[in-house]
Amino acid sequence: DDMEKFRSRMREAVNETHEGKRKNETLWPIHRINWERSRYVYNKFYRDKEISRDLYEYCLKEKYADAALIAKWKKPGFEFLCCLAAIDKSSTNFQTTSICRVPLKQRQPGPQLPSVSAGCISCSSQEASRFGGPIWWDSDRPADLVAWAKAGCPTSAYQERAAQKGGGLKRKTEGSDEDGGQAKRAAKLAQEMDEDPGLEERSAALRASMGIDVVWK
């Protein structure tokens, strides 16, 4: 069933080798799967009306969905929040929210790197709504996101289908690179990702909230 598929994906993400990755990056797939799994339950209850409140609350109690994240989605401006780490000001050097919370149209032109803590490029409501969810580090997306946002976030047919499904866009195929600069962006990201002394504590809290156990390799 669908929930079993989410569990399987989460196990794969947890057990995936961390070789060549910073600890922040190893949490990105976990954040994404947690978002998709929680959104699935959220939509089943609030949008599609396909499950009872008792079943919905059971899913939250048993951590099939992230109750704290869903609570944020109910607040204006947070409808597509990628994860709680994105609004945890204590995890950033300047005590601010993650870059993914800044609307793309307000950013400087150029390649847009994902949030170090979340792996999300944008979960601003207007922009994320066009994708049916956050714009993740590996999401299929326009080559110039800032120009796209300043143009009013025009929606293509495949984005409309993704938004209707509520699951976000398909992941970019291996080897694809919309502007030929993926390697450069990755190198720049690695350079900018300073070691975070509080990462272990936050990752432990994240694992506890999802009922999973991650062992760094």
Side-chain angles (χ1 to χ4, degrees):
D1 74 354
D2 291 328
M3 296 309 297
E4 180 56 38
K5 291 178 182 178
F6 282 122
R7 285 194 292 270
S8 178
R9 287 178 57 199
M10 185 65 80
R11 284 194 297 268
E12 291 176 2
V14 169
N15 294 325
E16 184 179 1
T17 178
H18 301 150
E19 184 177 355
K21 297 181 181 179
R22 296 209 177 197
K23 290 180 180 179
N24 299 78
E25 292 180 81
T26 64
L27 293 177
W28 291 359
I30 294 174
H31 284 308
R32 179 170 185 161
I33 297 168
N34 184 58
W35 190 94
E36 293 176 355
R37 179 175 62 179
S38 299
R39 200 71 180 192
Y40 176 85
V41 174
Y42 177 88
N43 284 342
K44 285 290 184 182
F45 180 66
Y46 285 103
R47 188 190 68 182
D48 303 331
K49 314 294 184 184
E50 292 182 359
I51 62 175
S52 67
R53 176 168 291 278
D54 287 344
L55 179 54
Y56 171 71
E57 292 180 349
Y58 173 82
C59 289
L60 299 185
K61 179 181 178 182
E62 297 299 318
K63 298 183 180 180
Y64 289 113
D66 190 330
L69 181 60
I70 288 176
K72 292 295 183 183
W73 290 343
K74 299 175 185 178
K75 297 182 178 181
F78 293 85
E79 294 88 350
F80 295 94
L81 177 66
C82 61
C83 61
L84 297 179
I87 55 174
D88 180 8
K89 295 182 179 181
S90 66
S91 66
T92 61
N93 292 333
F94 300 100
Q95 303 298 299
T96 61
T97 57
S98 295
I99 185 62
C100 60
R101 296 299 302 153
V102 179
L104 288 164
K105 63 183 179 181
Q106 297 178 14
R107 303 188 203 176
Q108 294 296 318
Q112 300 302 305
L113 299 175
S115 160
V116 171
S117 61
C120 172
I121 296 174
S122 176
C123 54
S124 175
S125 294
Q126 181 182 12
E127 297 150 7
S129 67
R130 300 297 196 271
F131 284 76
I135 304 175
W136 299 100
W137 77 99
D138 61 350
S139 294
D140 190 4
R141 57 188 183 272
D144 190 336
L145 282 169
V146 172
W148 169 76
K150 290 183 176 180
C153 305
T155 307
S156 64
Y158 73 93
Q159 287 175 326
E160 290 177 353
R161 291 194 296 271
Q164 290 172 359
K165 294 179 180 179
L169 295 181
K170 65 179 181 180
R171 300 182 181 182
K172 294 169 64 177
T173 56
E174 185 176 355
S176 67
D177 187 4
E178 71 275 6
D179 62 1
Q182 183 169 333
K184 293 181 180 178
R185 294 198 305 275
K188 183 178 179 182
L189 175 62
Q191 182 178 2
E192 294 182 357
M193 287 172 65
D194 295 327
E195 290 297 338
D196 185 348
L199 177 62
E200 294 287 359
E201 291 77 6
R202 294 199 308 280
S203 62
L206 174 65
R207 298 194 299 270
S209 69
M210 298 181 199
I212 60 176
D213 184 25
V214 179
V215 178
W216 303 117
K217 297 181 180 179

